[in-house]
Amino acid sequence: MTTRRNFIKKSLTAGAGFLIAPTIVPASVFGKHAPSNRINIGAIGTGRISRDHDMPGVWKYDEARIIAVCDLDANRVAEGKQYVEAYYTKKFGSPYSGVTTYADYHDLLANRDVDAVLISTPDHWHAKNAIDAVRAGKHVYLQKPTSLTIAEGRKMSDAVNASGKVLQIGSQQRSMEQFRIACELVRNGRIGQLKEVEIRLPGDPPGGNPEEMPVPQGFNYDAWLGQTPYVPYTVDRVHPQKGYGRPGWLRCEQFGAGMITGWGAHHFDIAHWAMDREYSGPVEIAGKAEFPAPGSGLWDVHGYYETEMLYDNGVIVRGTTENAEKPNGVLFTGTDGWIFVSRGEYAASPNEPVSTKSKALQASDTKILSPFSDDAIRLQVSTDHHGDWLESIRTGKKNITPAEVAHRSCTACLLQHIAMKLNRRLYWDPVLERFRNDDEANSMLARPHRPPYQF
């Protein structure tokens, strides 16, 4: 992190975005967190998860300041500016208008006053946004999943590691106490030898209106599609034009794999953490899934699914869709009992499609949950995911979910998606990151990129 700051920009140059000069705020407002010591942040993507989770996750810290927002939707970027400035106005007790707006994230990255970015864009933009950000010298908080394909994830992790910048993936379960404790219990043998992990995820229904509509004024739809093929605009393919409800793109395979990555990136990361396989992956994968029938609507991601992955330690990791008998969460089963962990009542956004709730931490015997001894294996502690990222930027300590860990958990999810599509057992080399003797499966590790949005 640099120590130089220009809180008041000396000049503003017109670019692809909207530029608004900041208001002068007295130094007394900042206290010990003076502009010269502050982490200036730009928000790339100002939709649902940015408003509900990412921007509030950092603006509560005095050492951080959101000074820029960017979105391809002119209405959303304007509302994003208002949203941030309203918070700071209330926090400081005086009118505040210190947020610059951008329509092109490259222009935001060119702002030397920005030290770090929140990337809360659709899944198909994640890897490219992150690569461009670290190459521009910015630290990154990246919403999960890391990438649309395994090949993109590898490029993203390599770029981050080469840059020396801090990337935190938005797997906030790592910063929730019950998940860390569950992983510590497994690693300390509280359920004996781990035999099986079951991951339970929400489902996505078919539907969506595929009829072409006029592109809304002020929305750069071509850039929003990015690397993916051109398809006609319809609101159910993108995001609501009014409000910040759950967007339709989450249910289109063109932009992501559905719940297997959307929620799977959280839970399979926890499985890796408990198994001490954060930098590896499965060696065998099998899966099947129900996909919407032709003519059932626009949305085409998987519905009910079942997968099975074998790891080199002999543990089988299964995935399935949650239901009343099997609530959302992670079940660890060993030779001496079981542990189940979930988010409990926590939700990152009020629009999360989770149909069942359960206790945050349970076990087959309460003795399994008893306190640890002094010589027990303990894992890295984070009590706030955005706060851990900011601390890592400030102090240089290793953050709790770095780029390579994020790439490996996303890879496990994408491997299952490929198995769902091929409906047969696959054999994976986690070192080479290739399927063994399977050209068809290897052809699905990447997708073509539409110019001019290629990597």
Side-chain angles (χ1 to χ4, degrees), residues 135-147:
R135 287 180 175 170
K138 315 301 184 185
H139 301 285
V140 174
Y141 188 101
L142 177 65
Q143 264 304 320
K144 51 74 206 166
T146 56
S147 59

Side-chain angles (χ1 to χ4, degrees), residues 176-253:
M176 300 172 72
E177 185 179 35
Q178 71 268 29
F179 286 98
R180 172 176 52 80
I181 291 175
C183 293
E184 291 174 337
L185 291 168
V186 172
R187 287 212 190 186
N188 281 282
R190 288 292 183 87
I191 56 173
Q193 183 181 356
L194 181 63
K195 290 293 187 180
E196 185 174 302
V197 185
E198 184 174 76
I199 307 293
R200 302 161 182 173
L201 305 178
D204 261 325
N209 182 3
E211 294 183 13
E212 183 175 0
M213 301 177 182
V215 176
Q217 186 175 2
F219 178 47
N220 189 342
Y221 178 60
D222 187 78
W224 185 91
L225 288 171
Q227 56 159 295
T228 71
Y230 183 84
V231 288
Y233 172 84
T234 178
V235 69
D236 284 351
R237 179 175 276 128
V238 188
H239 57 248
Q241 280 301 296
K242 293 184 178 180
Y244 290 86
R246 190 163 183 260
W249 64 259
L250 284 166
R251 287 166 268 191
C252 296
E253 282 202 330

Side-chain angles (χ1 to χ4, degrees), residues 263-309:
W263 259 81
H266 290 297
H267 286 345
F268 288 98
D269 174 60
I270 296 302
H272 282 185
W273 204 16
M275 293 192 297
D276 194 16
R277 292 297 185 273
E278 300 165 88
Y279 294 91
S280 183
V283 294
E284 295 183 23
I285 310 99
K288 60 181 181 179
E290 296 175 359
F291 289 91
S296 59
L298 175 71
W299 300 328
D300 58 358
V301 295
H302 72 89
Y304 180 83
Y305 84 104
E306 291 182 0
T307 57
E308 176 183 298
M309 297 190 292

